[in-house]
PDB file of all heavy atoms in Angstrom:
ATOM      1  N   ARG A  71      27.774   6.737  -9.433  1.00 95.00           N
ATOM      2  CA  ARG A  71      27.271   7.359 -10.629  1.00 95.00           C
ATOM      3  C   ARG A  71      25.893   6.806 -10.890  1.00 95.00           C
ATOM      4  O   ARG A  71      25.731   5.568 -11.033  1.00 95.00           O
ATOM      5  CB  ARG A  71      28.201   7.087 -11.796  1.00 95.00           C
ATOM      6  CG  ARG A  71      27.940   7.926 -13.039  1.00 95.00           C
ATOM      7  CD  ARG A  71      28.844   7.497 -14.213  1.00 95.00           C
ATOM      8  NE  ARG A  71      30.213   7.546 -13.915  1.00 95.00           N
ATOM      9  CZ  ARG A  71      30.941   8.650 -13.878  1.00 95.00           C
ATOM     10  NH1 ARG A  71      30.391   9.801 -14.217  1.00 95.00           N
ATOM     11  NH2 ARG A  71      32.207   8.628 -13.606  1.00 95.00           N
ATOM     12  N   LYS A  92      30.332  19.760  -4.442  1.00 95.00           N
ATOM     13  CA  LYS A  92      30.982  19.123  -3.302  1.00 95.00           C
ATOM     14  C   LYS A  92      31.543  20.121  -2.277  1.00 95.00           C
ATOM     15  O   LYS A  92      31.643  19.891  -1.099  1.00 95.00           O
ATOM     16  CB  LYS A  92      32.083  18.165  -3.778  1.00 95.00           C
ATOM     17  CG  LYS A  92      31.551  16.874  -4.401  1.00 95.00           C
ATOM     18  CD  LYS A  92      32.642  16.113  -4.977  1.00 95.00           C
ATOM     19  CE  LYS A  92      32.083  14.843  -5.676  1.00 95.00           C
ATOM     20  NZ  LYS A  92      33.098  14.023  -6.339  1.00 95.00           N
ATOM     21  N   ARG A 103      35.687   3.512   4.820  1.00 90.00           N
ATOM     22  CA  ARG A 103      36.688   3.683   5.902  1.00 90.00           C
ATOM     23  C   ARG A 103      37.220   5.101   5.862  1.00 90.00           C
ATOM     24  O   ARG A 103      37.115   5.828   4.883  1.00 90.00           O
ATOM     25  CB  ARG A 103      37.812   2.722   5.684  1.00 90.00           C
ATOM     26  CG  ARG A 103      37.457   1.271   5.791  1.00 90.00           C
ATOM     27  CD  ARG A 103      38.600   0.403   5.294  1.00 90.00           C
ATOM     28  NE  ARG A 103      39.704   0.305   6.233  1.00 90.00           N
ATOM     29  CZ  ARG A 103      39.761  -0.643   7.165  1.00 90.00           C
ATOM     30  NH1 ARG A 103      38.823  -1.557   7.270  1.00 90.00           N
ATOM     31  NH2 ARG A 103      40.806  -0.646   8.015  1.00 90.00           N
ATOM     32  N   PHE A 105      40.810   7.472   6.585  1.00 93.00           N
ATOM     33  CA  PHE A 105      42.273   7.209   6.545  1.00 93.00           C
ATOM     34  C   PHE A 105      42.728   6.933   7.933  1.00 93.00           C
ATOM     35  O   PHE A 105      43.175   7.867   8.668  1.00 93.00           O
ATOM     36  CB  PHE A 105      43.003   8.397   5.916  1.00 93.00           C
ATOM     37  CG  PHE A 105      42.887   8.516   4.410  1.00 93.00           C
ATOM     38  CD1 PHE A 105      42.094   9.516   3.837  1.00 93.00           C
ATOM     39  CD2 PHE A 105      43.454   7.540   3.626  1.00 93.00           C
ATOM     40  CE1 PHE A 105      42.011   9.596   2.477  1.00 93.00           C
ATOM     41  CE2 PHE A 105      43.332   7.636   2.219  1.00 93.00           C
ATOM     42  CZ  PHE A 105      42.591   8.632   1.681  1.00 93.00           C
ATOM     43  N   ASP A 106      42.548   5.712   8.398  1.00 89.00           N
ATOM     44  CA  ASP A 106      42.589   5.423   9.794  1.00 89.00           C
ATOM     45  C   ASP A 106      44.017   5.282  10.375  1.00 89.00           C
ATOM     46  O   ASP A 106      44.215   4.906  11.558  1.00 89.00           O
ATOM     47  CB  ASP A 106      41.749   4.214  10.157  1.00 89.00           C
ATOM     48  CG  ASP A 106      42.162   2.980   9.389  1.00 89.00           C
ATOM     49  OD1 ASP A 106      43.216   2.948   8.766  1.00 89.00           O
ATOM     50  OD2 ASP A 106      41.375   1.947   9.421  1.00 89.00           O
ATOM     51  N   ARG A 107      45.049   5.453   9.553  1.00 88.00           N
ATOM     52  CA  ARG A 107      46.427   5.510  10.055  1.00 88.00           C
ATOM     53  C   ARG A 107      46.829   6.933  10.447  1.00 88.00           C
ATOM     54  O   ARG A 107      47.976   7.182  10.855  1.00 88.00           O
ATOM     55  CB  ARG A 107      47.429   4.977   9.068  1.00 88.00           C
ATOM     56  CG  ARG A 107      47.183   3.457   8.811  1.00 88.00           C
ATOM     57  CD  ARG A 107      47.831   2.699   9.909  1.00 88.00           C
ATOM     58  NE  ARG A 107      47.096   1.379  10.062  1.00 88.00           N
ATOM     59  CZ  ARG A 107      47.696   0.349  10.641  1.00 88.00           C
ATOM     60  NH1 ARG A 107      48.948   0.390  11.084  1.00 88.00           N
ATOM     61  NH2 ARG A 107      46.974  -0.763  10.846  1.00 88.00           N
ATOM     62  N   GLU A 112      44.907  14.752  12.788  1.00 93.00           N
ATOM     63  CA  GLU A 112      45.502  14.750  11.371  1.00 93.00           C
ATOM     64  C   GLU A 112      44.342  14.471  10.428  1.00 93.00           C
ATOM     65  O   GLU A 112      44.355  15.037   9.306  1.00 93.00           O
ATOM     66  CB  GLU A 112      46.544  13.683  11.287  1.00 93.00           C
ATOM     67  CG  GLU A 112      47.784  13.980  11.983  1.00 93.00           C
ATOM     68  CD  GLU A 112      48.836  12.845  11.983  1.00 93.00           C
ATOM     69  OE1 GLU A 112      48.375  11.690  11.708  1.00 93.00           O
ATOM     70  OE2 GLU A 112      50.021  13.068  12.280  1.00 93.00           O
ATOM     71  N   GLU A 119      41.802  20.580   4.805  1.00 94.00           N
ATOM     72  CA  GLU A 119      42.703  21.038   3.729  1.00 94.00           C
ATOM     73  C   GLU A 119      42.204  20.581   2.395  1.00 94.00           C
ATOM     74  O   GLU A 119      42.324  21.255   1.367  1.00 94.00           O
ATOM     75  CB  GLU A 119      44.145  20.549   3.945  1.00 94.00           C
ATOM     76  CG  GLU A 119      44.818  21.339   5.095  1.00 94.00           C
ATOM     77  CD  GLU A 119      46.250  20.870   5.328  1.00 94.00           C
ATOM     78  OE1 GLU A 119      47.025  20.917   4.361  1.00 94.00           O
ATOM     79  OE2 GLU A 119      46.535  20.401   6.432  1.00 94.00           O
ATOM     80  N   HIS A 121      39.201  20.414   1.591  1.00 94.00           N
ATOM     81  CA  HIS A 121      38.193  21.274   1.226  1.00 94.00           C
ATOM     82  C   HIS A 121      38.652  22.687   1.048  1.00 94.00           C
ATOM     83  O   HIS A 121      37.853  23.646   0.970  1.00 94.00           O
ATOM     84  CB  HIS A 121      37.048  21.253   2.322  1.00 94.00           C
ATOM     85  CG  HIS A 121      36.109  20.121   2.199  1.00 94.00           C
ATOM     86  ND1 HIS A 121      36.249  18.961   2.891  1.00 94.00           N
ATOM     87  CD2 HIS A 121      35.052  19.929   1.386  1.00 94.00           C
ATOM     88  CE1 HIS A 121      35.270  18.113   2.613  1.00 94.00           C
ATOM     89  NE2 HIS A 121      34.522  18.691   1.674  1.00 94.00           N
ATOM     90  N   ALA A 143      41.178  14.250  24.254  1.00 94.00           N
ATOM     91  CA  ALA A 143      42.199  13.375  24.857  1.00 94.00           C
ATOM     92  C   ALA A 143      42.799  12.379  23.873  1.00 94.00           C
ATOM     93  O   ALA A 143      43.890  11.864  24.081  1.00 94.00           O
ATOM     94  CB  ALA A 143      41.581  12.651  26.076  1.00 94.00           C
ATOM     95  N   ASN A 146      45.580  12.668  19.355  1.00 92.00           N
ATOM     96  CA  ASN A 146      46.791  12.143  18.698  1.00 92.00           C
ATOM     97  C   ASN A 146      46.865  10.623  18.638  1.00 92.00           C
ATOM     98  O   ASN A 146      47.856  10.039  18.319  1.00 92.00           O
ATOM     99  CB  ASN A 146      48.051  12.666  19.412  1.00 92.00           C
ATOM    100  CG  ASN A 146      48.210  14.184  19.239  1.00 92.00           C
ATOM    101  OD1 ASN A 146      47.988  14.666  18.108  1.00 92.00           O
ATOM    102  ND2 ASN A 146      48.537  14.900  20.277  1.00 92.00           N
ATOM    103  N   THR A 147      45.739   9.956  18.990  1.00 92.00           N
ATOM    104  CA  THR A 147      45.642   8.547  18.776  1.00 92.00           C
ATOM    105  C   THR A 147      45.194   8.252  17.379  1.00 92.00           C
ATOM    106  O   THR A 147      44.303   8.932  16.853  1.00 92.00           O
ATOM    107  CB  THR A 147      44.551   7.971  19.772  1.00 92.00           C
ATOM    108  OG1 THR A 147      44.942   8.357  21.096  1.00 92.00           O
ATOM    109  CG2 THR A 147      44.464   6.462  19.705  1.00 92.00           C
ATOM    110  N   ILE A 148      45.794   7.205  16.792  1.00 89.00           N
ATOM    111  CA  ILE A 148      45.387   6.956  15.395  1.00 89.00           C
ATOM    112  C   ILE A 148      44.002   6.376  15.302  1.00 89.00           C
ATOM    113  O   ILE A 148      43.518   5.671  16.258  1.00 89.00           O
ATOM    114  CB  ILE A 148      46.438   6.030  14.645  1.00 89.00           C
ATOM    115  CG1 ILE A 148      46.397   4.612  15.175  1.00 89.00           C
ATOM    116  CG2 ILE A 148      47.807   6.584  14.579  1.00 89.00           C
ATOM    117  CD1 ILE A 148      47.108   3.689  14.169  1.00 89.00           C
ATOM    118  N   ASP A 151      42.680   2.887  16.072  1.00 86.00           N
ATOM    119  CA  ASP A 151      42.524   2.412  17.433  1.00 86.00           C
ATOM    120  C   ASP A 151      41.265   3.018  18.140  1.00 86.00           C
ATOM    121  O   ASP A 151      41.108   2.817  19.320  1.00 86.00           O
ATOM    122  CB  ASP A 151      43.742   2.735  18.241  1.00 86.00           C
ATOM    123  CG  ASP A 151      44.923   1.815  17.890  1.00 86.00           C
ATOM    124  OD1 ASP A 151      44.653   0.808  17.161  1.00 86.00           O
ATOM    125  OD2 ASP A 151      46.127   2.174  18.190  1.00 86.00           O
TER     126      ASP A 151
ATOM    127  N   ARG B 168      46.500  -5.130  16.548  1.00 59.00           N
ATOM    128  CA  ARG B 168      46.963  -4.458  15.365  1.00 59.00           C
ATOM    129  C   ARG B 168      48.493  -4.174  15.343  1.00 59.00           C
ATOM    130  O   ARG B 168      49.179  -4.426  14.426  1.00 59.00           O
ATOM    131  CB  ARG B 168      46.254  -3.139  15.239  1.00 59.00           C
ATOM    132  CG  ARG B 168      46.514  -2.422  13.904  1.00 59.00           C
ATOM    133  CD  ARG B 168      45.861  -1.066  13.868  1.00 59.00           C
ATOM    134  NE  ARG B 168      46.222  -0.290  15.007  1.00 59.00           N
ATOM    135  CZ  ARG B 168      47.405   0.226  15.206  1.00 59.00           C
ATOM    136  NH1 ARG B 168      48.365   0.037  14.366  1.00 59.00           N
ATOM    137  NH2 ARG B 168      47.678   0.967  16.307  1.00 59.00           N
ATOM    138  N   ASP B 172      51.271  -5.521  12.711  1.00 63.00           N
ATOM    139  CA  ASP B 172      52.104  -4.636  11.946  1.00 63.00           C
ATOM    140  C   ASP B 172      53.569  -5.047  12.109  1.00 63.00           C
ATOM    141  O   ASP B 172      54.343  -5.100  11.171  1.00 63.00           O
ATOM    142  CB  ASP B 172      51.899  -3.133  12.383  1.00 63.00           C
ATOM    143  CG  ASP B 172      50.600  -2.640  12.024  1.00 63.00           C
ATOM    144  OD1 ASP B 172      49.819  -3.373  11.465  1.00 63.00           O
ATOM    145  OD2 ASP B 172      50.342  -1.491  12.361  1.00 63.00           O
ATOM    146  N   GLY B 280      46.043   1.859  21.105  1.00 63.00           N
ATOM    147  CA  GLY B 280      46.008   3.248  21.501  1.00 63.00           C
ATOM    148  C   GLY B 280      47.305   3.990  21.122  1.00 63.00           C
ATOM    149  O   GLY B 280      47.724   4.872  21.825  1.00 63.00           O
ATOM    150  N   GLU B 281      47.833   3.624  19.954  1.00 65.00           N
ATOM    151  CA  GLU B 281      49.108   4.200  19.576  1.00 65.00           C
ATOM    152  C   GLU B 281      48.911   5.694  19.298  1.00 65.00           C
ATOM    153  O   GLU B 281      47.924   6.139  18.708  1.00 65.00           O
ATOM    154  CB  GLU B 281      49.567   3.567  18.272  1.00 65.00           C
ATOM    155  CG  GLU B 281      50.863   4.122  17.766  1.00 65.00           C
ATOM    156  CD  GLU B 281      51.155   3.577  16.324  1.00 65.00           C
ATOM    157  OE1 GLU B 281      50.492   2.662  15.847  1.00 65.00           O
ATOM    158  OE2 GLU B 281      52.065   4.166  15.716  1.00 65.00           O
ATOM    159  N   ARG B 282      49.827   6.509  19.857  1.00 74.00           N
ATOM    160  CA  ARG B 282      49.699   7.924  19.678  1.00 74.00           C
ATOM    161  C   ARG B 282      50.756   8.466  18.712  1.00 74.00           C
ATOM    162  O   ARG B 282      51.872   7.910  18.711  1.00 74.00           O
ATOM    163  CB  ARG B 282      49.884   8.656  21.041  1.00 74.00           C
ATOM    164  CG  ARG B 282      48.794   8.244  22.062  1.00 74.00           C
ATOM    165  CD  ARG B 282      49.003   8.885  23.402  1.00 74.00           C
ATOM    166  NE  ARG B 282      48.504  10.219  23.424  1.00 74.00           N
ATOM    167  CZ  ARG B 282      47.210  10.507  23.618  1.00 74.00           C
ATOM    168  NH1 ARG B 282      46.348   9.523  23.804  1.00 74.00           N
ATOM    169  NH2 ARG B 282      46.818  11.751  23.691  1.00 74.00           N
ATOM    170  N   VAL B 283      50.396   9.348  17.911  1.00 76.00           N
ATOM    171  CA  VAL B 283      51.334   9.895  16.960  1.00 76.00           C
ATOM    172  C   VAL B 283      51.354  11.432  17.098  1.00 76.00           C
ATOM    173  O   VAL B 283      50.434  12.040  17.600  1.00 76.00           O
ATOM    174  CB  VAL B 283      50.960   9.500  15.462  1.00 76.00           C
ATOM    175  CG1 VAL B 283      51.226   8.035  15.246  1.00 76.00           C
ATOM    176  CG2 VAL B 283      49.585   9.909  15.193  1.00 76.00           C
ATOM    177  N   SER B 285      52.194  14.944  14.880  1.00 65.00           N
ATOM    178  CA  SER B 285      52.496  15.537  13.583  1.00 65.00           C
ATOM    179  C   SER B 285      53.642  16.484  13.804  1.00 65.00           C
ATOM    180  O   SER B 285      53.718  17.197  14.772  1.00 65.00           O
ATOM    181  CB  SER B 285      51.337  16.307  13.052  1.00 65.00           C
ATOM    182  OG  SER B 285      50.250  15.455  12.960  1.00 65.00           O
ATOM    183  N   LYS B 303      50.984  15.080   1.984  1.00 93.00           N
ATOM    184  CA  LYS B 303      51.249  14.830   3.303  1.00 93.00           C
ATOM    185  C   LYS B 303      50.635  13.564   3.836  1.00 93.00           C
ATOM    186  O   LYS B 303      51.250  12.820   4.534  1.00 93.00           O
ATOM    187  CB  LYS B 303      50.673  16.039   4.146  1.00 93.00           C
ATOM    188  CG  LYS B 303      51.669  17.112   4.428  1.00 93.00           C
ATOM    189  CD  LYS B 303      51.093  18.105   5.467  1.00 93.00           C
ATOM    190  CE  LYS B 303      50.083  19.047   4.836  1.00 93.00           C
ATOM    191  NZ  LYS B 303      49.645  20.102   5.664  1.00 93.00           N
ATOM    192  N   TYR B 308      51.333   7.749   5.264  1.00 89.00           N
ATOM    193  CA  TYR B 308      50.964   6.320   5.059  1.00 89.00           C
ATOM    194  C   TYR B 308      52.149   5.478   4.708  1.00 89.00           C
ATOM    195  O   TYR B 308      52.201   4.321   4.987  1.00 89.00           O
ATOM    196  CB  TYR B 308      49.840   6.223   4.003  1.00 89.00           C
ATOM    197  CG  TYR B 308      48.484   6.107   4.702  1.00 89.00           C
ATOM    198  CD1 TYR B 308      47.998   7.079   5.497  1.00 89.00           C
ATOM    199  CD2 TYR B 308      47.740   4.947   4.569  1.00 89.00           C
ATOM    200  CE1 TYR B 308      46.818   6.967   6.170  1.00 89.00           C
ATOM    201  CE2 TYR B 308      46.563   4.800   5.167  1.00 89.00           C
ATOM    202  CZ  TYR B 308      46.043   5.831   5.996  1.00 89.00           C
ATOM    203  OH  TYR B 308      44.881   5.661   6.662  1.00 89.00           O
ATOM    204  N   ARG B 311      53.342   4.593   8.096  1.00 81.00           N
ATOM    205  CA  ARG B 311      52.481   4.022   9.148  1.00 81.00           C
ATOM    206  C   ARG B 311      51.695   2.796   8.581  1.00 81.00           C
ATOM    207  O   ARG B 311      51.159   2.082   9.352  1.00 81.00           O
ATOM    208  CB  ARG B 311      51.434   5.037   9.601  1.00 81.00           C
ATOM    209  CG  ARG B 311      52.075   6.145  10.325  1.00 81.00           C
ATOM    210  CD  ARG B 311      51.049   7.134  10.914  1.00 81.00           C
ATOM    211  NE  ARG B 311      51.656   8.384  11.286  1.00 81.00           N
ATOM    212  CZ  ARG B 311      50.924   9.482  11.515  1.00 81.00           C
ATOM    213  NH1 ARG B 311      49.611   9.470  11.407  1.00 81.00           N
ATOM    214  NH2 ARG B 311      51.602  10.624  11.877  1.00 81.00           N
ATOM    215  N   SER B 377      38.438   2.036   0.638  1.00 92.00           N
ATOM    216  CA  SER B 377      37.307   2.898   0.563  1.00 92.00           C
ATOM    217  C   SER B 377      37.544   4.249   1.178  1.00 92.00           C
ATOM    218  O   SER B 377      36.741   5.147   1.022  1.00 92.00           O
ATOM    219  CB  SER B 377      36.112   2.220   1.211  1.00 92.00           C
ATOM    220  OG  SER B 377      36.355   1.986   2.602  1.00 92.00           O
ATOM    221  N   ILE B 383      37.057  11.942  -2.623  1.00 96.00           N
ATOM    222  CA  ILE B 383      36.000  12.130  -3.614  1.00 96.00           C
ATOM    223  C   ILE B 383      34.874  13.073  -3.061  1.00 96.00           C
ATOM    224  O   ILE B 383      34.438  13.973  -3.762  1.00 96.00           O
ATOM    225  CB  ILE B 383      35.422  10.761  -4.057  1.00 96.00           C
ATOM    226  CG1 ILE B 383      36.559   9.889  -4.640  1.00 96.00           C
ATOM    227  CG2 ILE B 383      34.285  10.946  -5.072  1.00 96.00           C
ATOM    228  CD1 ILE B 383      36.085   8.512  -4.898  1.00 96.00           C
ATOM    229  N   ALA B 532      37.062  11.696 -14.623  1.00 94.00           N
ATOM    230  CA  ALA B 532      35.939  11.124 -15.346  1.00 94.00           C
ATOM    231  C   ALA B 532      35.449   9.793 -14.712  1.00 94.00           C
ATOM    232  O   ALA B 532      34.339   9.354 -15.056  1.00 94.00           O
ATOM    233  CB  ALA B 532      36.338  10.865 -16.755  1.00 94.00           C
ATOM    234  N   GLU B 536      33.822   4.904 -10.162  1.00 94.00           N
ATOM    235  CA  GLU B 536      34.234   3.567 -10.585  1.00 94.00           C
ATOM    236  C   GLU B 536      35.517   3.137  -9.912  1.00 94.00           C
ATOM    237  O   GLU B 536      35.732   2.033  -9.513  1.00 94.00           O
ATOM    238  CB  GLU B 536      34.374   3.508 -12.111  1.00 94.00           C
ATOM    239  CG  GLU B 536      33.115   3.593 -12.890  1.00 94.00           C
ATOM    240  CD  GLU B 536      32.485   5.000 -12.965  1.00 94.00           C
ATOM    241  OE1 GLU B 536      33.253   5.974 -12.707  1.00 94.00           O
ATOM    242  OE2 GLU B 536      31.279   5.159 -13.208  1.00 94.00           O
TER     243      GLU B 536
END
Side-chain angles (χ1 to χ4, degrees):
Chain A
R71 194 185 302 281
K92 287 173 182 179
R103 295 169 76 92
F105 284 111
D106 58 12
R107 294 279 151 158
E112 286 171 346
E119 287 182 58
H121 278 99
N146 293 318
T147 303
I148 69 165
D151 286 346
Chain B
R168 187 187 52 72
D172 292 359
E281 182 189 348
R282 299 177 83 81
V283 290
S285 305
K303 265 190 284 187
Y308 261 63
R311 295 184 196 166
S377 62
I383 302 174
E536 290 75 19

